[in-house]
Amino acid sequence: MVDSIPVITVDGPGGVGKGTVSRIVAARLGWHLLDSGALYRLVGLSALKRGVALDDEPEVAALATHLDAQFTGNSGDNTVITLDNVDVSDEIRTESVGSAASRVAALPAVRQALLERQRRFCRPPGLVADGRDMGTVVFPDAQLKVFLQASREERASRRYKQLKDKGISVSLDALLREIEERDARDSNRQVAPMRPAEGAVIIDTTHMGIADVVENILRAWNGRPD
Ligand code: C5P
């Protein structure tokens, strides 16, 4: 019974800290983790690798349906993500793949193709689901919905540090522009636009550390009404 499995959804724009926060919350609760952005990134990467145009809806949806992807070491720090048996854990984090992801994510048939796959991550003892539409579309019955936000400048600077730590060099200005474009595309698309779900707990993380955000979410989970 999927309904009886507890779910916490964590939605919000890129660079807001969703990934790290969700990973820690999942580990603290001993639950599974769904990094839904990684699925869109895999579809984007798959299209780029195969030379499929990012706006060719039927072709990209077919790639999404048959996506041969594995996530191993789930809620750990070192999740290995493979596409067609090749480790693409780092490659999918680049800005070019992020941008491809947000383009394919605007196609309704692609979102539909990924819906069931995302729901299959919901297994006992519980799931923390990280994305843009986890609380609004994929898990509308989640017991706790969280929406994280932060200023664009802060998000760009976090992404910059993250990429730099991985040895990927980009300019801060270029990142800020990418974030603005991606926000606009994610918020204005026709299907599943990014917005807080009804009843979501909204947390502005601009001036908050990861640990504080995690504690806020765990407090909201422990103190939720029955
Ligand atoms: O969260 P992340 O930056 O990895 O997501 C990459 C892109 O995938 C986002 O910009 C967004 O367009 C898309 N996405 C989405 N719905 C989700 C998760 C990600 O549309 N649930």
Side-chain angles (χ1 to χ4, degrees):
M1 280 286 294
V2 166
D3 279 354
S4 60
I5 302 171
V7 176
I8 298 177
T9 58
V10 183
D11 288 307
V16 80
K18 283 180 310 237
T20 310
V21 163
S22 299
R23 187 165 14 87
I24 298 172
V25 170
R28 290 272 294 271
L29 294 169
W31 290 4
H32 298 282
L33 176 71
L34 165 61
D35 171 4
S36 61
L39 287 173
Y40 287 97
R41 285 171 181 268
L42 286 164
V43 175
L45 178 62
S46 178
L48 292 175
K49 280 191 189 292
R50 290 175 161 82
V52 170
L54 297 175
D55 58 356
D56 185 337
E57 188 163 1
E59 282 294 318
V60 181
L63 290 180
T65 303
H66 303 291
L67 198 63
D68 176 9
Q70 304 287 334
F71 291 71
T72 43
N74 217 342
S75 61
D77 209 353
N78 47 358
T79 303
V80 173
I81 301 175
T82 63
L83 176 65
D84 301 322
N85 294 316
V86 176
D87 182 350
V88 292
S89 315
D90 288 337
E91 196 176 1
I92 59 163
R93 301 297 166 197
T94 59
E95 287 308 300
S96 58
V97 175
S99 171
S102 100
R103 291 183 57 191
V104 299
L107 306 172
V110 171
R111 305 199 72 83
Q112 185 60 36
L114 291 182
L115 199 55
E116 275 314 308
R117 186 186 281 255
Q118 294 176 87
R119 290 186 175 148
R120 283 201 298 273
F121 279 77
C122 187
R123 295 191 306 270
L127 177 73
V128 178
D130 145 11
R132 303 289 188 290
D133 62 340
M134 297 295 99
T136 50
V137 176
V138 183
F139 300 106
D141 299 326
Q143 289 83 346
L144 175 65
K145 300 178 182 184
V146 177
F147 191 87
L148 300 183
Q149 54 194 26
S151 73
R152 283 182 185 158
E153 291 70 20
E154 176 64 21
R155 290 189 280 130
S157 122
R158 288 180 192 167
R159 267 278 202 254
Y160 179 79
K161 285 191 201 116
Q162 242 177 18
L163 293 172
K164 204 165 159 222
D165 286 348
K166 289 190 173 168
I168 303 170
S169 78
V170 282
S171 91
L172 192 56
D173 272 358
L175 271 182
L176 193 56
R177 271 197 309 277
E178 294 257 12
I179 281 188
E180 278 167 0
E181 277 170 26
R182 197 119 70 85
D183 279 0
R185 208 158 33 220
D186 291 349
S187 307
N188 298 329
R189 67 184 173 219
Q190 296 285 314
V191 191
M194 175 177 64
R195 60 177 170 78
E198 220 182 298
V201 175
I202 298 181
I203 305 176
D204 189 321
T205 74
T206 308
H207 304 294
M208 280 172 89
I210 293 289
D212 280 346
V213 182
V214 168
E215 289 314 320
N216 265 271
I217 296 176
L218 290 173
R219 219 174 301 129
W221 173 252
N222 291 323
R224 76 197 181 285
D226 286 328

